Structure formats: C-alpha cells, structure tokens
Amino acid sequence: MTTTCEIPATSVDRLVSSQFVRLLVMVFGSGLSMYLLTSVVPLYLAAHGSGGVGAGASTAAMMFSAVAVELVVPRMLARWGYQVVLGLGLVLLGAPSLVLLASASLPLVLAVCVVRGAGLAILVVGAVALVAEITPAVRRGEALGVYGVAVGVPAVIGLPLGVYLTQVIGFGALFVLAAATSLAGLVALVGLPGRIAVEDQHVHVLGGVRRSGLLMPTLVFAAVTLGAGISVTFLPLAVAGDKQSMVAAALLLQAIAAPLARWLAGRYADRLGPARLLAPAVVLAAAGAGSLVSCRVRPRS
C-alpha cells in the first residue's frame, strides 16, 4: 500500500503574500496621489485663467506621456529591475506636484503633467507585471482583480476628496499632500523583487501587440479610457460652482463602481475567459458616456 503526499492547494496557490501586500500598499499611495489631482489640476488652471483649453491640455499631456513611456517600461524592468524602476515611477509621479506651488503658468503645469504621466506609466506597467510574477498563475485573473480594487479605492477617495479639499485647505496644501502620498510608497518597495528575467517577446511591446492578438483589446481599452478621462476632466468645469457637491458625488459613484467591476471581472475572467467580458463592458461604457450628453449643466463663467 502506498500513500501519496499531496501539498495542499492553499499553500501552493495562496493569493495574498507579504510581497503582494507591499505592492498593493505602494499602488494605493501612488493611486491616491494621482486621483487627488486628476480633477484638481484642470480646476487650478481654470482658476488662474487658462480655462477649458488648459484643462483639456493638462489631461491630454499626462495621458499622452503615459502612453509613450509605457512602451519602454518593459525594457527598463529588464535592465534595472522592479525596485529601481517602480521607485523612479513613484518619484516622477509625486515630486513634480510640488512644482505647482511655484506657478499656475500653463507651460509649467503641462510640463509637470508630462513628468507625472511618465511616472504613472512606469507604475501601471511595472505593478501589473509584478502582479503576474508574484501570484499563482491559476489565480492570476483574481490577483489582477484585487490589484484593480487597490487601484480603484484611491479613486473612490481621491476624485471627490481632491475637489472638496480645494475649498478647505487650498491648492497648495493639496499639492503637498499628493506628493507625500506617492513618495511614501518608496517604503513599501523594501522586500519586493529586484530584477526578474523578462522574456524577449514581452520587451518588444509594439511587436507583441501586433502578433499576440492584443491590438483590438488595446483599442477598446484606449477608447474607454479616453471617455473616462474626458468625464473626470470636464465635469467639474461644466457644473456651476454652487453644485460642486454634485460633482463630488458623481465622481465618487464612478470611483466606487470601477474597483467593484475590476474585482468581479477578475474573478469571472478566470472562469469564463476574458474575451466574453469585453462586449458587455463596452456597452456599459458607451451607455455611461452617452448619458452625460443628456445632462443639463450650466457652464462655469
């Protein structure tokens, strides 16, 4: 009679580890830094005379910078490792917020947005890649769902709180707070992996998109992200000043829905396959964006 010694699945496929917790803490701090200023920088520009053009330019500068830098992050990870690259991302996202204390000049603010966009790109790509490295493959979808919650909770807090705090502590103190929340994440890097071998096909991002069937999901993600960026940028400017509480409530509801949807998508993607979730997600995103067209708001003077 022979017995087979089996390792319990919980010990092999355990989702939450100390490294994963550290990563989530870092993601939370950097996300809070980003979302505190997402709707505030357009308000800051509008308050100093740059209007809707400056507001749109600030968001566009950050997003275009993020997209451009994302293409080179895999090479950075392969060369310098996760700790160095993620640390750089935290500094680039947080420290430039302090520069906004000096001036509301549109060129200066746009330069800050470009640098912060580079930091955002590093953190997004690096953190997602690290999630895949430090969590079990059989639970990777769920792990990414948990990561999505850690990214989304700062939006729940930061989007409405940033708009509210401009009336309470002012722009300057808020810029300092945004810098501090990102830079504090440097402490969480201790204990995370250093350099991990990155396969060649993951380094060549553009080639990977063309050859691996990622082009259409990438275009879908870009379209949905564009719609979300427009809403959080211009909603505070489109609503009259005496209704900013309504703006904060709308941003709060959007921010709450996002992490819940990410978590559910992660769980069901492991069971049903992610492709089946794309169509209903696109329909929901289009319906939400279309509903804003019917909203009657009075432009800010």
Side-chain angles (χ1 to χ4, degrees):
M1 176 178 176
T2 61
T3 60
T4 302
C5 180
E6 296 182 354
I7 301 176
T10 54
S11 66
V12 176
D13 300 331
R14 188 177 67 169
L15 182 62
V16 179
S17 64
S18 61
Q19 289 183 337
F20 193 32
V21 170
R22 288 188 179 93
L23 176 62
L24 295 180
V25 169
M26 183 210 71
V27 165
F28 179 87
S30 61
L32 187 59
S33 175
M34 183 189 73
Y35 285 114
L36 279 173
L37 301 188
T38 297
S39 295
V40 166
V41 169
L43 283 176
Y44 182 58
L45 287 169
H48 290 83
S50 294
V53 174
S58 66
T59 301
M62 187 170 184
M63 292 300 103
F64 279 121
S65 171
V67 171
V69 174
E70 282 176 350
L71 299 177
V72 301
V73 175
R75 288 188 178 276
M76 296 169 64
L77 292 172
R79 182 169 184 177
W80 296 309
Y82 284 101
Q83 285 185 327
V84 172
V85 174
L86 290 175
L88 176 63
L90 290 170
V91 172
L92 293 179
L93 180 65
S97 303
L98 300 175
V99 179
L100 297 176
L101 296 170
S103 172
S105 165
L106 181 58
L108 178 65
V109 175
L110 292 180
V112 167
C113 291
V114 168
V115 177
R116 295 188 77 232
L120 174 64
I122 292 171
L123 292 168
V124 168
V125 176
V128 171
L130 190 53
V131 169
E133 294 284 359
I134 64 177
T135 56
V138 294
R139 302 187 67 182
R140 192 163 291 161
E142 185 178 359
L144 290 172
V146 174
Y147 166 81
V149 173
V151 173
V153 169
V156 175
I157 301 170
L159 282 174
L161 184 62
V163 174
Y164 171 75
L165 288 179
T166 58
Q167 308 296 322
V168 178
I169 63 176
F171 289 111
L174 187 57
F175 295 151
V176 174
L177 179 61
T181 54
S182 181
L183 296 176
L186 292 170
V187 178
L189 291 179
V190 179
L192 290 181
R195 182 178 294 125
I196 295 179
V198 180
E199 296 181 9
D200 183 69
Q201 60 266 31
H202 298 309
V203 173
H204 297 287
V205 178
L206 293 177
V209 169
R210 290 193 301 266
R211 293 192 298 267
S212 62
L214 291 177
L215 181 58
M216 289 306 298
T218 299
L219 294 176
V220 169
F221 180 77
V224 172
T225 302
L226 178 62
I230 291 172
S231 66
V232 300
T233 298
F234 289 103
L235 188 61
L237 300 177
V239 178
D242 58 347
K243 294 182 179 180
Q244 285 300 300
S245 60
M246 182 180 70
V247 175
L251 294 174
L252 176 63
L253 290 175
Q254 178 186 355
I256 290 175
L260 290 176
R262 288 190 185 108
W263 176 68
L264 289 173
R267 287 185 63 87
Y268 284 103
D270 286 337
R271 302 174 185 177
L272 304 177
R276 295 187 179 182
L277 303 180
L278 281 180
V282 171
V283 171
L284 288 174
S291 66
L292 293 177
V293 178
S294 63
C295 294
R296 295 182 179 181
V297 292
R298 179 164 52 91
R300 294 168 62 93
S301 57

